[in-house]
Amino acid sequence: MPTIVDIHTHVYPPSYMTLLRTRTTVPYVRTFPDSPLSSRLIILPGEDDPSQPSTSRGRPIGPDYHDITRKIAFMDAHRIDKSVISLANPWLDFLAPEEAATAAREINDEVDGMCARFPGRLYAFGTLPLSASAEVVAAEVKRLRGLKYMRGVIMGTSGLGKGLDDAALDPVWAALEETGTLVFLHPHYGLPGDVYGPRAGEYGHVLPLALGFPVETTIAVTRMLLSGVWERFAKLQVLIAHSGGTLPFLAGRIESCIAHDGYLKGVGRAKQMRSVWDVLKKNVYLDAVVYSEVGLKAAVDASGADRLMFGTDHPFFPPLEEDEEEWLSVKTNYAAINTAFGGDDKTADDVLGGNAVRILKLD
Amino acid sequence: MPTIVDIHTHVYPPSYMTLLRTRTTVPYVRTFPDSPLSSRLIILPGEDDPSQPSTSRGRPIGPDYHDITRKIAFMDAHRIDKSVISLANPWLDFLAPEEAATAAREINDEVDGMCARFPGRLYAFGTLPLSASAEVVAAEVKRLRGLKYMRGVIMGTSGLGKGLDDAALDPVWAALEETGTLVFLHPHYGLPGDVYGPRAGEYGHVLPLALGFPVETTIAVTRMLLSGVWERFAKLQVLIAHSGGTLPFLAGRIESCIAHDGYLKGVGRAKQMRSVWDVLKKNVYLDAVVYSEVGLKAAVDASGADRLMFGTDHPFFPPLEEDEEEWLSVKTNYAAINTAFGGDDKTADDVLGGNAVRILKLD
């Protein structure tokens, strides 16, 4: 049996839950008077519609989000040997600068402690205090090297507030590169709601989750490319959520648009820029959270079979039927791996866990 | 030698150019005092920045856009036997309702006449008066059946103004289905500029063209799916530009998000909806304008090798070096076909032209 490693799996540790419970604007967790027995998590602006009954605001949040023994039970039920847990979006992006550094240290220590309770089964990506300064962030990147179970950091697309093409982030990229710290790049902000049209309210969360998330990620990575992040930090390693958003599919179009852009040629940038294909093969890792054989094959074609790693996105996308022991979202991703690499045990095993063990040094 | 057919190739026929020259707001064509010898085409709001010198507004527009003999010369230079020409974006979306019907008839007759000058080499997708009523649009769909070289219609994503999930479009879908008219779905509006961040101005047109266009298309098609267009019009055939935007890659995520959406389940929609995979294989055709082997393979995996058709996007993406006879954008798409299907002459020939000849009944 292959070792199975889940590198895309989230927690809201208890101290983060406490933080969310003290808030009244997005993101927050609240118990509403008309449904006192269940808490609701509201993390996306579109989920917070005061005109709706509280039971349709956000989503119910239970112990799967914060009780680490539930993570272990989920792993056992799905044959997952090891998980690399990460704080879910929106991380600490919303904190006042003076609170962020302390919160990051506390949460990272707490998550490392969670891993220590289950040695060999849990590892983690740390959280960064991105609303503070680049120097504070860089200091936390370096401090994380002293925590036993940390294997990288998770980061959203807003950077210090101006996106990942902000030159002010350079000290952060430098610290990440210097320490060999992998960045798990993950979306949160999506796209402005009006791009989905006047009927979007009839479609539940489908459009922002299915399209807004991967597009946000793709825009962020393309901005990194265009601003020269990977020219200045040629060894920076980034694991892109949801198999790269849409990057494997759109890489050719991005490359062609750069080559045909009169402005970029005029300012001398077009030829300096690294090829997106080169970045995909040398700087990018992809998770296998794309729910299809088509997507997985494109991910492997773009970055290589040695750079793709299984994930679940747990505790999001739980089954809608309460009695389902195996989650549909997980079964779909397992099935996609089997179909895409079915005739090739080596590749399937690498994607399921071998790559993660090697890349993240999970002994 | 295989027959090569270009199904994604645009014209602005002379009467449309006249229309654009009479306008002063986007879209328009203008000659500026500081550059009197060249006209400039401004079709995207982001291209019209009065603070910039006129020579960096929009793009130079020359005879490639409106002189049909230049299309033939381009075809000859690139070994293209047949082209299915279509009016480029933004079509007639901007016209007052009372002008649209007449303009559509005139332009369609004019384009059909262009094709008649080069029998066997040119066919066309017609233009619809979408700012008029659904009934007026449906009438033009039916009238087009009488024009000898018409092989479908081109359509943007705005529909009658509220998008392609607008129930008011049903008479249009009905007319298209009833007449067996293929819809070439093409982006124009992109995404709101602020999604690209504060440094977007440093990146030329790359972000809106490379990402905004395919994402707009993907959102439009997903809205059609969610609103049940393909349940009500099960035979409607749509050719999606740029290999489906990002649809082949994101189809699995769309399907998963639908299956996990509590709201859609609650209102009973989740199980009524057709699978996106089923729609991709039965209702969708894709062009091969994706500039990569990775994208082409994903397109074929999603829709089948019998539904993918070569295109160039001419006259957009011209070479930046004036002496290049073969366009880089075309060479890139040819090379992608060769790499993706190199060992399989049948598939390569089908994609290059065989599929188009069969599907569009060219000859």
Side-chain angles (χ1 to χ4, degrees):
Chain A
M1 291 291 287
T3 299
I4 298 183
V5 181
D6 180 0
I7 55 84
H8 188 155
T9 181
H10 299 296
V11 289
Y12 290 126
S15 66
Y16 189 78
M17 288 297 295
T18 303
L19 188 63
L20 290 183
R21 285 185 196 283
T22 61
R23 295 175 50 84
T24 54
T25 55
V26 174
Y28 65 87
V29 167
R30 210 188 301 180
T31 303
F32 290 91
D34 59 351
S35 177
L37 295 177
S38 86
S39 293
R40 298 193 70 88
L41 167 69
I42 292 102
I43 53 172
L44 298 174
E47 297 176 336
D48 186 29
D49 181 350
S51 72
Q52 296 297 309
S54 62
T55 45
S56 70
R57 286 163 82 170
R59 60 197 89 183
I61 178 167
D64 276 353
Y65 285 76
H66 47 79
D67 178 350
I68 196 65
T69 66
R70 296 290 289 255
K71 180 75 73 188
I72 298 292
F74 167 83
M75 291 164 62
D76 291 341
H78 293 86
R79 310 178 302 286
I80 295 165
D81 298 291
K82 298 168 190 284
S83 287
V84 185
I85 58 178
S86 51
L87 187 63
N89 49 302
W91 314 286
L92 304 174
D93 288 10
F94 55 88
L95 282 189
E98 62 278 12
E99 301 172 290
T102 309
R105 281 195 299 270
E106 284 178 7
I107 286 170
N108 287 329
D109 289 349
E110 184 178 4
V111 168
D112 199 60
M114 283 178 165
C115 299
R117 289 176 56 194
F118 300 94
R121 297 210 69 187
L122 294 182
Y123 300 84
F125 295 127
T127 301
L128 298 179
L130 282 156
S131 61
S133 66
E135 289 64 35
V136 170
V137 177
E140 185 64 8
V141 168
K142 291 174 186 171
R143 194 188 76 88
L144 286 174
R145 304 308 291 171
L147 299 191
K148 187 168 178 188
Y149 298 99
M150 289 292 163
R151 290 298 185 272
V153 294
I154 188 165
M155 198 190 275
T157 65
S158 66
L160 300 166
K162 293 181 181 170
L164 300 184
D165 54 355
D166 182 359
L169 271 172
D170 275 8
V172 176
W173 301 132
L176 291 163
E177 189 183 52
E178 184 191 319
T179 54
T181 302
L182 180 73
V183 180
F184 181 21
L185 180 63
H186 193 288
H188 168 68
Y189 297 93
L191 294 171
D194 56 0
V195 306
Y196 303 123
R199 295 186 64 181
E202 298 173 42
Y203 310 143
H205 296 315
V206 172
L207 292 168
L209 279 180
L211 307 183
F213 262 35
V215 170
E216 173 194 349
T217 309
T218 311
I219 292 173
V221 176
T222 310
R223 286 168 60 180
M224 288 174 72
L225 179 83
L226 290 164
S227 66
V229 169
W230 276 295
E231 295 153 40
R232 299 197 297 285
F233 304 98
K235 291 183 181 162
L236 181 66
Q237 299 289 309
V238 178
L239 165 62
I240 312 180
H242 313 118
S243 297
T246 64
L247 193 64
F249 191 78
L250 290 181
R253 186 169 174 90
I254 293 166
E255 194 90 338
S256 179
C257 284
I258 291 171
H260 287 93
D261 197 84
Y263 175 84
L264 289 181
K265 186 186 175 216
V267 298
R269 279 293 292 144
K271 292 204 170 168
Q272 291 168 343
M273 247 174 244
R274 283 185 58 197
S275 160
V276 61
W277 298 113
D278 188 53
V279 170
L280 274 162
K281 288 190 166 59
K282 291 182 186 159
N283 300 85
V284 166
Y285 298 98
L286 301 171
D287 71 25
V289 184
V290 70
Y291 309 97
S292 78
E293 173 198 357
V294 178
L296 285 181
K297 282 184 176 171
V300 161
D301 284 347
S303 285
D306 55 339
R307 304 180 81 85
L308 187 67
M309 297 184 259
F310 175 75
T312 63
D313 222 343
H314 180 264
F316 298 102
F317 304 104
L320 291 181
E321 310 296 339
E322 292 221 344
D323 55 351
E324 286 175 59
E325 244 181 54
E326 261 197 279
W327 287 27
L328 171 64
S329 52
V330 181
K331 279 191 287 189
T332 306
N333 279 321
Y334 272 139
I337 292 172
N338 283 336
T339 314
F341 314 117
D344 176 358
D345 285 352
K346 169 78 167 68
T347 297
D349 290 358
D350 284 351
V351 172
L352 286 170
N355 289 338
V357 168
R358 184 189 78 249
I359 294 162
L360 299 171
K361 302 187 177 63
L362 307 183
D363 28 84
Chain B
M1 291 292 287
T3 299
I4 299 183
V5 180
D6 180 1
I7 54 84
H8 188 154
T9 180
H10 299 297
V11 289
Y12 289 127
S15 66
Y16 190 78
M17 288 298 294
T18 304
L19 188 63
L20 291 183
R21 285 186 196 282
T22 60
R23 294 174 50 84
T24 55
T25 55
V26 174
Y28 65 87
V29 167
R30 211 187 301 180
T31 304
F32 291 91
D34 59 350
S35 177
L37 295 178
S38 86
S39 293
R40 297 194 72 87
L41 167 70
I42 292 102
I43 51 171
L44 299 174
E47 297 176 336
D48 186 31
D49 181 352
S51 71
Q52 296 296 311
S54 62
T55 46
S56 70
R57 285 162 84 169
R59 60 198 90 183
I61 178 166
D64 276 353
Y65 284 75
H66 47 79
D67 179 350
I68 196 65
T69 66
R70 297 290 289 255
K71 181 74 73 188
I72 299 291
F74 168 83
M75 290 165 62
D76 291 341
H78 293 86
R79 310 179 301 290
I80 295 165
D81 298 291
K82 298 169 189 287
S83 287
V84 186
I85 58 178
S86 52
L87 186 63
N89 49 303
W91 314 287
L92 304 174
D93 289 9
F94 54 88
L95 281 189
E98 62 277 12
E99 300 173 290
T102 309
R105 281 194 299 269
E106 284 178 8
I107 287 171
N108 287 329
D109 290 348
E110 183 179 5
V111 169
D112 199 60
M114 283 178 163
C115 297
R117 287 176 57 193
F118 300 92
R121 296 210 71 189
L122 293 182
Y123 300 85
F125 295 126
T127 301
L128 298 178
L130 282 157
S131 61
S133 66
E135 289 64 35
V136 170
V137 177
E140 184 64 10
V141 168
K142 290 174 186 170
R143 194 188 75 89
L144 286 174
R145 303 308 291 170
L147 298 192
K148 186 169 178 188
Y149 299 99
M150 289 292 161
R151 290 298 184 272
V153 294
I154 187 165
M155 199 190 275
T157 66
S158 66
L160 301 166
K162 293 181 180 170
L164 300 183
D165 54 355
D166 183 358
L169 270 171
D170 275 8
V172 176
W173 302 132
L176 291 163
E177 189 183 52
E178 185 192 319
T179 54
T181 302
L182 181 74
V183 180
F184 181 21
L185 179 63
H186 192 290
H188 167 70
Y189 298 92
L191 294 171
D194 57 0
V195 306
Y196 304 123
R199 294 187 64 181
E202 298 174 42
Y203 310 142
H205 295 316
V206 172
L207 292 169
L209 278 180
L211 307 184
F213 262 35
V215 171
E216 174 194 347
T217 310
T218 311
I219 293 173
V221 176
T222 310
R223 286 168 60 181
M224 289 173 72
L225 179 83
L226 290 164
S227 66
V229 170
W230 276 295
E231 296 152 40
R232 298 196 299 284
F233 304 98
K235 291 183 181 161
L236 181 67
Q237 299 290 307
V238 178
L239 165 63
I240 312 179
H242 313 118
S243 298
T246 64
L247 194 65
F249 191 78
L250 290 181
R253 187 170 173 89
I254 293 167
E255 193 91 337
S256 180
C257 284
I258 291 171
H260 287 92
D261 197 85
Y263 175 85
L264 290 182
K265 188 188 173 214
V267 297
R269 280 291 293 144
K271 292 204 171 169
Q272 291 168 344
M273 247 174 244
R274 283 184 58 197
S275 160
V276 61
W277 298 111
D278 187 54
V279 170
L280 274 162
K281 289 189 165 60
K282 292 182 186 160
N283 300 84
V284 166
Y285 297 98
L286 302 172
D287 72 25
V289 184
V290 69
Y291 309 98
S292 79
E293 173 199 357
V294 179
L296 287 181
K297 282 185 177 173
V300 161
D301 284 347
S303 285
D306 56 339
R307 304 182 80 86
L308 188 66
M309 298 184 259
F310 175 75
T312 63
D313 223 343
H314 180 263
F316 298 102
F317 304 105
L320 292 180
E321 309 296 340
E322 292 219 344
D323 55 351
E324 285 175 59
E325 243 181 54
E326 261 198 279
W327 288 27
L328 171 64
S329 51
V330 181
K331 278 192 287 189
T332 306
N333 279 321
Y334 272 140
I337 292 172
N338 283 336
T339 314
F341 315 117
D344 176 359
D345 285 351
K346 168 77 168 68
T347 297
D349 290 357
D350 284 351
V351 172
L352 286 169
N355 289 337
V357 168
R358 184 189 78 249
I359 295 162
L360 300 172
K361 303 185 176 63
L362 312 181
D363 54 29

